[in-house]
Amino acid sequence: MGRKKSSLESLVIELTSCMNSFWKDKKVLVTGHTGFKGAWLTLLLIEMGAKVFGFSLKDLSEYELFRNLLNDKNFHDHNSFFHFEGDINNMDILKKVVLDVNPDITFHLAAQPLVRRSYKEPLITWETNVLGTLKLLEALKTINKVSTLIVVTSDKVYENLELKNFFKESDRLGGNDPYSSSKAATEILISGWRKSFCGDAPFQTKFLSIATARSGNVIGGGDWSEDRLVPDIVSSLKDNKIIKLRNPTSSRPWLHILETLNGYLLLAERLHISKNINSKDIYKLESSFNFGPKDNDVKTTQELLNECLKYWEGDWIKKKDKNNLKESNNLSLNSEKSKKYLNWSPKLSFETTVNLTINWYKKFYDKKSAYECCMDDINFYYQI
């Protein structure tokens, strides 16, 4: 006789069939929607029928993917996207947006997301990543209906002793740089805030459910961020320049953007529905979840580069980091919890992930629109 399924595992199976209908007409607030992940998530939610309310800084100069999508008429055909401008650290503006939107689900992606920039801007990094999250929590506390919050942190929240182990959600948190430590601090903040302010006491909210998502190193088309490996590779290839690789032996859990977003969406669905039906297993979902590739798809930066060069020829050299900024050498995630409770596992191999990524850029530079390039990948991914 097989093992009897838990009530939560049975719920996962039952809910899988209604995934496509879940998001229709849901009011979804996405902070940081102009960033790389945010732009892809916004497009995906719109295609799934949600009403998406984006909140981000006014300056779009760094956000080429979002600007390309925003200028495409196909992006607006659904009439279900609304754009708010403001700083996550401005409590008055943030609270007004939350009250105006009254979201069913919030994805919190607004952050200073770059390790190397965090050394140059530690105060901005900590203020945005930690205090910005706290202000969002305080704003969401005023909602008087079932509401779900997914906070995106990082795979770098773990105390990394370079032991080449696969980090589990229960492992010790830490950080060797301003970015990583700020994200670890955010995880601690959320855990403490949930215990303090989620409940039935007069000073608490009984409506809000919160989970955090820790994903691997995300790659995919449309990323032009500074000091990121794939954008640097593509930029050099496009300009026929030699690629300069800082840390060729560093290993990372590379994951396609759609794998990551699929995990976020599944987590939000399960948590939101479990709250609505008062599932006794909700405490298992109100926690943190890893989203990483299969174990054998954890690769070094040189292996990633070599795979990229299969689809776009070029040359590279090793570049010495003159600043000697501290970054983790080895990083891997254990995603068994996501598989057990969300029925999530990566669909794409490392080779397919790189193929999709590089060909996105090649199609884009061959005059195909960013919207069409993204939709090609979305259709491919959800037909698997």
Side-chain angles (χ1 to χ4, degrees):
M1 178 183 291
R3 179 179 65 88
K4 184 177 180 181
K5 293 183 175 65
S6 70
S7 58
L8 184 58
E9 288 175 303
S10 297
L11 180 64
V12 166
I13 294 170
E14 292 171 12
L15 293 178
T16 302
S17 62
C18 66
M19 177 180 176
N20 292 334
S21 61
F22 172 84
W23 293 98
K24 184 171 175 56
D25 295 328
K26 286 287 190 301
K27 292 196 292 184
V28 183
L29 174 63
V30 181
T31 71
H33 68 291
T34 55
F36 170 54
K37 282 186 185 177
W40 271 94
L41 178 59
T42 297
L43 175 60
L44 196 52
L45 285 166
I46 290 172
E47 293 298 323
M48 289 184 169
K51 297 184 184 300
V52 184
F53 302 81
F55 178 78
S56 195
L57 294 170
K58 182 177 182 179
D59 183 13
L60 298 180
S61 59
E62 293 186 41
Y63 307 119
E64 189 168 344
L65 175 59
F66 179 76
R67 285 190 287 111
N68 274 281
L69 293 175
L70 195 62
N71 292 329
D72 195 302
K73 65 179 182 62
N74 294 299
F75 186 72
H76 301 280
D77 280 350
H78 302 275
N79 296 315
S80 56
F81 172 70
F82 309 87
H83 177 71
F84 293 93
E85 295 176 349
D87 190 335
I88 196 73
N89 290 300
N90 189 319
M91 186 66 187
D92 291 335
I93 294 177
L94 181 59
K95 192 170 184 178
K96 184 179 186 307
V97 169
V98 168
L99 289 173
D100 288 345
V101 174
N102 195 28
D104 299 302
I105 295 169
T106 301
F107 290 97
H108 179 42
L109 284 75
Q112 193 298 97
L114 301 173
V115 172
R116 296 176 71 81
R117 182 185 289 183
S118 75
Y119 281 100
K120 301 174 185 176
E121 302 174 347
L123 293 179
I124 291 175
T125 300
W126 273 78
E127 182 180 22
T128 301
N129 295 355
V130 183
L131 294 182
T133 302
L134 176 58
K135 290 172 182 177
L136 177 63
L137 289 166
E138 289 295 310
L140 288 169
K141 192 165 66 173
T142 62
I143 291 180
N144 290 315
K145 68 175 186 180
V146 170
S147 188
T148 298
L149 170 63
I150 305 299
V151 179
V152 175
T153 58
S154 173
D155 56 354
K156 298 177 179 65
V157 299
Y158 298 104
E159 183 179 48
N160 194 340
L161 302 178
E162 305 293 357
L163 300 177
K164 297 187 177 181
N165 55 315
F166 285 74
F167 290 109
K168 297 182 294 185
E169 291 85 350
S170 57
D171 286 340
R172 185 183 179 94
L173 300 177
N176 295 322
D177 57 81
Y179 169 76
S180 301
S181 57
S182 73
K183 286 296 190 177
T186 299
E187 290 277 357
I188 295 171
L189 161 69
I190 291 165
S191 178
W193 196 95
R194 185 196 293 118
K195 293 172 184 174
S196 300
F197 298 109
C198 290
D200 296 320
F203 61 92
Q204 295 178 323
T205 172
K206 61 181 179 181
F207 299 108
L208 185 61
S209 299
I210 310 165
T212 62
R214 307 167 180 174
S215 64
N217 283 54
V218 177
I219 64 175
D223 188 4
W224 284 282
S225 304
E226 63 175 341
D227 285 329
R228 295 273 293 271
L229 180 57
V230 169
D232 288 348
I233 290 173
V234 170
S235 177
S236 297
L237 291 172
K238 177 177 175 291
D239 296 333
N240 293 315
K241 294 181 178 179
I242 295 177
I243 300 162
K244 298 176 181 179
L245 192 61
R246 284 195 305 267
N247 303 301
T249 60
S250 296
S251 63
R252 293 290 185 268
W254 309 105
L255 200 64
H256 192 271
I257 180 68
L258 289 174
E259 301 271 38
T260 301
L261 298 184
N262 190 45
Y264 298 171
L265 293 170
L266 286 170
L267 177 56
E269 289 177 37
R270 305 298 188 258
L271 187 53
H272 195 76
I273 294 175
S274 294
K275 185 74 170 181
N276 267 308
I277 64 176
N278 296 314
S279 168
K280 65 180 180 180
D281 290 312
I282 191 171
Y283 73 93
K284 296 176 182 176
L285 294 171
E286 289 185 306
S287 56
S288 56
F289 285 82
N290 285 343
F291 299 100
K294 297 175 182 177
D295 293 356
N296 60 354
D297 280 341
V298 175
K299 305 289 186 180
T300 66
T301 58
Q302 184 175 340
E303 287 175 309
L304 175 66
L305 172 57
N306 289 338
E307 192 67 27
C308 291
L309 296 180
K310 291 180 181 178
Y311 308 106
W312 197 338
E313 292 184 4
D315 296 310
W316 70 277
I317 59 172
K318 183 178 179 181
K319 175 186 178 182
K320 183 176 177 58
D321 184 1
K322 61 181 180 180
N323 294 316
N324 198 29
L325 299 179
K326 176 67 177 178
E327 291 189 63
S328 299
N329 289 320
N330 300 290
L331 188 55
S332 306
L333 294 179
N334 180 314
S335 303
E336 286 301 312
K337 182 179 176 182
S338 294
K339 182 177 181 180
K340 179 178 180 179
Y341 293 122
L342 305 178
N343 201 28
W344 179 91
S345 60
K347 301 178 182 180
L348 306 176
S349 67
F350 172 73
E351 292 76 15
T352 303
T353 293
V354 176
N355 187 351
L356 285 175
T357 299
I358 295 301
N359 278 303
W360 191 103
Y361 289 102
K362 293 183 78 171
K363 288 186 291 185
F364 178 79
Y365 290 125
D366 198 32
K367 305 305 180 184
K368 197 167 190 175
S369 74
Y371 176 87
E372 291 174 307
C373 292
C374 288
M375 289 307 302
D376 283 349
D377 288 357
I378 289 172
N379 289 328
F380 173 81
Y381 182 78
Y382 280 98
Q383 285 174 4
I384 297 176

